[in-house]
Amino acid sequence: MKRTHTCGELTLDNKGEKVILQGWVKKNRKLGALTFIDLRDRYGTTQLLIDESSQKKFPEIKSEFVIEITGEVLERKSKNPDLKTGEIEVKVINLIIINEAKLTPFEIKDGLEANEDTKMTFRYLDLRREEMQKNLLIRSQVNKIIRDYYHRLNFIEVETPIFGKSTPEGARDFLVPSRVNVNKFYALPQSPQLYKQLLMIAGMDRYFQIAKCFRDEDLRIDRQPEFTQLDMEMSFATPEDIQNNIENLLAEIIFKVKNIKIKTPLPRITYQEAISKYGIDKPDLRFSLEINDVNDIFKSSEVNLFCNLKKNEKIRAIKVDSLLAKKDLEQLTEVAKQNSLVNLPFLKYSNNEWTGSLAKNLSDSEKQQLLKKFEIKGDCTILFAVGDFDISSRGLGAVRNEAAKILKLYKPEEINLLWVVDFPLFEFSEEENRYVAAHHPFTQPKEESLQDFDKNKSTALAAAYDIVMNGFEIGGGSQRITNENIQKRMFKAIEMSNQTVEDNFGWFINAYQYGAPYHSGCALGIDRIVMILTQASSIREVIAFPKNSNGIDPMTNAPDLVSTKQLDEINLKLK
Ligand code: ASP
């Protein structure tokens, strides 16, 4: 290459050398007789120096021009210890413009607060910013660690189709009309689930793939219509084998990227414990703030809210070690309401005095029991939820997360990982008025549920597990059903007719009649993991070309209208 060095490379070791650099003009400033230019590329920034006598020789340059310079490396007078190249500068001997640049719609700098859609319209400029480059570099590093790890362990990387048949992952499919097969559609894979199971039957033994997945769901900060999974599956492996494999991988990623040592084996808690202690199946355990049942304390209470409890209603509460200000309580009440709670009654305790919306009829015995139950030693606030167990748990779970944020109960760079195991096999769908598979219908019931999972659907447990990082579900998997009879019972339990099963999965279930190993697997959301590792505020920050919150790419304007000719070719007419 013509350049002798990148812009992030030169140090005092190169003093006196003649070099050629190419890059973008980050800054261009005149100080008296001298001109200083910061030249930027992906590797860093190098300071260029043009003295007065040379200035007239060179063309005028502006920010974001791409230039090439020949120059001599000098020791800098005022050094910049924060920069790898901070001890040197390059005195420019020759300068040519490779390409000029228009005034950019926003300044290319870290901490930029431009409108999201403007940034996405000019994504290639946004990606010039150091913090965005760092995100993509870390993502590339994570992919490499994954590939190295799995090759080391004898896994093979297999690519599976993007044009396939609908797989039952629980979300809506994206459909692609086939031109050649009139009126028929491919579905984009929600995950490579069925293919990887077939690879086990095919004898591949250990499979992994960094796979694109597509789900037509409403967007959130941690959701995009297309996203990337590390997908893996192992034959003759139990859920514990998979959990060990995945946690060792994550420990390696976190150590190599963040230099943080994660202690393995990771804690494992059951789904039931997660809901009951933290109100959510993906608890953030960087802080404790456990939810407690306090029905016992208020058995014969005169507090208005507690005297007329209905049979199934639970009183649940969390204590925070702080006297929450009015504004914080309002913020928490708002979160409670967004999560189906009617309100968020509270008690405050300070200097032996109880105040707050529930304090009026609180008896001495109740006060004593509260002190004991919550091991109260100083000022605190107790937040209550009353209602059905699930609603009060989930409501307080959301309040718990918000309270930790308000009270800054964790350090932003901290990382906490855990497994949530023993998920329910089914969940009841109000919409469809039937039980549906909570994970997917190929998930093996847990040993203790094998006998009666199709009779006791509300309590049946699955051999399924999720991995949680800082309150985000970053992955999950299960042991798969490999027995025809269990699979049939499973489909019957979710009220799928034989015909539907045959039409949709006949091809898949048949495969299990030709000799299948038992197998288990898992998938990790790479976008979410990189988002947490880079402390980005959304997965959009770690995807090169994402969609905005309406599922649109403002740069290309996808999705867009297509011509009548294109529609005719695929035999479609718009409604
Ligand atoms: N395919 C599943 C998912 O995307 C993961 C698995 O069961 O391996 O959630």
Side-chain angles (χ1 to χ4, degrees):
M1 291 185 75
K2 194 171 177 194
R3 70 179 183 209
T4 56
H5 298 81
T6 67
C7 297
E9 208 177 335
L10 296 169
T11 64
L12 273 183
D13 293 344
N14 305 91
K15 191 174 161 184
E17 282 177 27
K18 198 170 164 202
V19 295
I20 298 175
L21 301 181
Q22 297 167 324
W24 284 260
V25 174
K26 180 175 167 185
K27 241 195 249 156
N28 177 13
R29 58 198 186 280
K30 269 203 164 80
L31 271 182
L34 301 174
T35 300
F36 292 96
I37 297 169
D38 285 345
L39 194 67
R40 164 183 18 87
D41 66 10
R42 196 189 97 194
Y43 309 92
T45 302
T46 299
Q47 178 166 296
L48 309 178
L49 168 72
I50 301 178
D51 62 24
E52 196 169 24
S53 62
S54 317
Q55 265 175 36
K56 286 177 216 83
K57 282 202 321 222
F58 302 142
E60 193 197 345
I61 55 162
K62 294 184 183 153
S63 286
E64 302 309 316
F65 275 30
V66 183
I67 62 169
E68 173 184 310
I69 63 101
T70 308
E72 187 191 338
V73 182
L74 306 180
E75 182 166 357
R76 255 205 233 184
K77 280 198 198 79
S78 54
K79 299 194 172 50
N80 179 352
D82 296 333
L83 215 60
K84 180 150 184 252
T85 60
E87 292 184 322
I88 58 99
E89 60 196 359
V90 176
K91 181 167 183 265
V92 180
I93 301 166
N94 195 21
L95 184 155
I96 56 172
I97 293 174
I98 296 175
N99 258 315
E100 294 187 357
K102 271 171 56 173
L103 183 65
T104 52
F106 46 80
E107 206 184 329
I108 315 287
K109 62 166 193 194
D110 283 353
L112 173 73
E113 287 192 12
N115 170 288
E116 176 96 28
D117 267 12
T118 311
K119 284 201 284 184
M120 287 178 72
T121 306
F122 297 92
R123 188 68 169 177
Y124 45 89
L125 295 181
D126 196 23
L127 289 178
R128 261 185 215 170
R129 300 188 303 117
E130 260 167 59
E131 55 191 14
M132 296 301 275
Q133 302 218 330
K134 188 195 88 206
N135 290 354
L136 292 192
L137 287 174
I138 289 180
R139 189 175 176 123
S140 164
Q141 188 190 2
V142 168
N143 282 353
K144 180 173 185 321
I145 297 168
I146 291 172
R147 289 207 161 92
D148 289 349
Y149 177 84
Y150 279 114
H151 284 296
R152 201 161 73 224
L153 295 177
N154 246 334
F155 280 68
I156 62 168
E157 184 170 8
V158 184
E159 291 164 74
T160 52
I162 295 296
F163 286 9
K165 197 173 154 96
S166 207
T167 59
E169 220 76 28
R172 211 174 284 116
D173 285 323
F174 281 104
L175 300 174
V176 181
S178 163
R179 179 183 58 81
V180 181
N181 302 283
V182 181
N183 293 350
K184 297 205 169 157
F185 292 81
Y186 299 101
L188 304 186
Q190 293 184 31
S191 86
Q193 186 62 36
L194 301 190
Y195 293 112
K196 68 172 169 176
Q197 294 192 213
L198 296 179
L199 287 172
M200 295 302 103
I201 298 176
M204 293 302 145
D205 196 54
R206 297 177 156 210
Y207 143 92
F208 85 100
Q209 180 182 192
I210 294 181
K212 280 272 181 176
C213 303
F214 307 86
R215 296 184 190 176
D216 191 358
E217 297 173 304
D218 292 336
L219 274 65
R220 290 201 307 235
I221 58 156
D222 59 348
R223 268 198 196 149
Q224 280 275 303
E226 57 178 302
F227 59 98
T228 311
Q229 281 189 346
L230 155 72
D231 192 41
M232 58 82 73
E233 192 83 7
M234 273 165 94
S235 292
F236 309 111
T238 61
E240 290 72 34
D241 296 325
I242 301 295
Q243 288 160 19
N244 291 341
N245 174 285
I246 291 286
E247 64 189 31
N248 288 336
L249 168 67
L250 285 167
E252 191 163 320
I253 291 175
I254 292 162
F255 183 69
K256 288 189 168 154
V257 174
K258 306 280 286 184
N259 206 19
I260 295 175
K261 277 204 173 120
I262 297 287
K263 217 171 107 215
T264 53
L266 298 176
R268 282 146 172 79
I269 67 170
T270 65
Y271 170 86
Q272 205 47 51
E273 190 183 347
I275 299 291
S276 120
K277 284 191 179 159
Y278 311 108
I280 194 165
D281 59 1
K282 44 183 182 201
D284 191 341
L285 296 194
R286 286 176 295 178
F287 49 92
S288 57
L289 289 191
E290 276 185 26
I291 304 174
N292 283 278
D293 273 333
V294 289
N295 280 56
D296 281 357
I297 300 180
F298 298 104
K299 268 196 305 260
S300 43
S301 183
E302 291 183 9
V303 175
N304 281 348
L305 187 68
F306 302 147
C307 358
N308 297 315
L309 285 189
K310 294 198 199 86
K311 201 162 155 252
N312 281 335
E313 280 188 330
K314 288 263 175 265
I315 312 171
R316 315 209 69 211
I318 40 177
K319 177 201 74 166
V320 297
D321 288 319
S322 159
L323 289 172
L324 289 175
K326 188 158 175 269
K327 136 178 148 311
D328 296 336
L329 282 164
E330 279 167 3
Q331 190 174 332
L332 292 172
T333 305
E334 192 50 42
V335 169
K337 287 183 176 166
Q338 283 162 8
N339 287 277
S340 312
L341 294 181
V342 183
N343 54 21
L344 189 66
F346 64 93
L347 284 171
K348 286 186 184 179
Y349 175 82
S350 179
N351 292 328
N352 276 325
E353 287 234 19
W354 292 88
T355 53
S357 60
L358 299 173
K360 201 159 148 228
N361 293 327
L362 203 62
S363 71
D364 284 344
S365 146
E366 287 165 345
K367 290 176 184 170
Q368 282 313 318
Q369 290 183 71
L370 284 173
L371 288 174
K372 196 161 157 225
K373 175 93 186 171
F374 289 100
E375 296 173 2
I376 294 173
K377 297 197 181 71
D379 292 0
C380 68
T381 309
I382 306 180
L383 305 160
F384 292 84
V386 179
D388 138 272
F389 177 81
D390 278 343
I391 293 182
S392 51
S393 302
R394 281 178 204 283
L396 277 188
V399 168
R400 173 181 177 271
N401 281 344
E402 191 69 17
K405 220 183 275 169
I406 293 175
L407 298 168
K408 299 199 170 62
L409 294 186
Y410 52 87
K411 294 191 206 85
E413 66 276 10
E414 219 175 302
I415 288 187
N416 179 279
L417 282 165
L418 74 145
W419 287 102
V420 179
V421 298
D422 296 0
F423 271 80
L425 188 60
F426 303 106
E427 60 196 20
F428 190 76
S429 160
E430 300 287 347
E431 204 182 317
E432 300 185 37
N433 194 31
R434 65 175 174 106
Y435 279 94
V436 296
H439 191 51
H440 51 60
F442 310 106
T443 296
Q444 172 86 356
K446 268 206 95 180
E447 192 70 37
E448 60 262 40
S449 294
L450 268 180
Q451 280 289 330
D452 62 352
F453 70 86
D454 35 0
K455 294 198 186 70
N456 299 327
K457 295 185 213 170
S458 65
T459 51
L461 295 181
Y465 32 85
D466 272 2
I467 183 145
V468 179
M469 188 177 192
N470 293 4
F472 286 92
E473 180 211 319
I474 56 157
S478 64
Q479 183 173 346
R480 324 301 182 186
I481 297 175
T482 50
N483 171 293
E484 203 185 337
N485 189 34
I486 299 178
Q487 187 65 69
K488 278 191 184 146
R489 286 170 57 202
M490 183 69 191
F491 281 131
K492 205 160 163 217
I494 54 174
E495 295 173 43
M496 246 190 210
S497 71
N498 289 347
Q499 196 56 48
T500 315
V501 172
E502 184 50 38
D503 292 348
N504 287 292
F505 314 112
W507 57 279
F508 174 71
I509 293 161
N510 284 346
Y512 279 89
Q513 297 171 355
Y514 292 96
Y518 65 89
H519 55 100
S520 309
C522 192
L524 295 181
I526 292 183
D527 312 282
R528 287 186 192 171
I529 293 173
V530 178
M531 173 184 85
I532 300 168
L533 293 177
T534 55
Q535 289 172 40
S537 54
S538 121
I539 61 170
R540 292 201 280 271
E541 304 283 296
V542 299
I543 295 174
F545 297 103
K547 308 285 181 289
N548 69 11
S549 51
N550 296 318
I552 294 169
D553 170 6
M555 180 176 69
T556 61
N557 211 19
D560 209 348
L561 300 172
V562 294
S563 68
T564 315
K565 181 166 171 279
Q566 283 171 299
L567 287 174
D568 282 346
E569 276 171 353
I570 48 174
N571 202 34
L572 279 188
K573 197 168 167 187
L574 299 184
K575 253 188 168 179

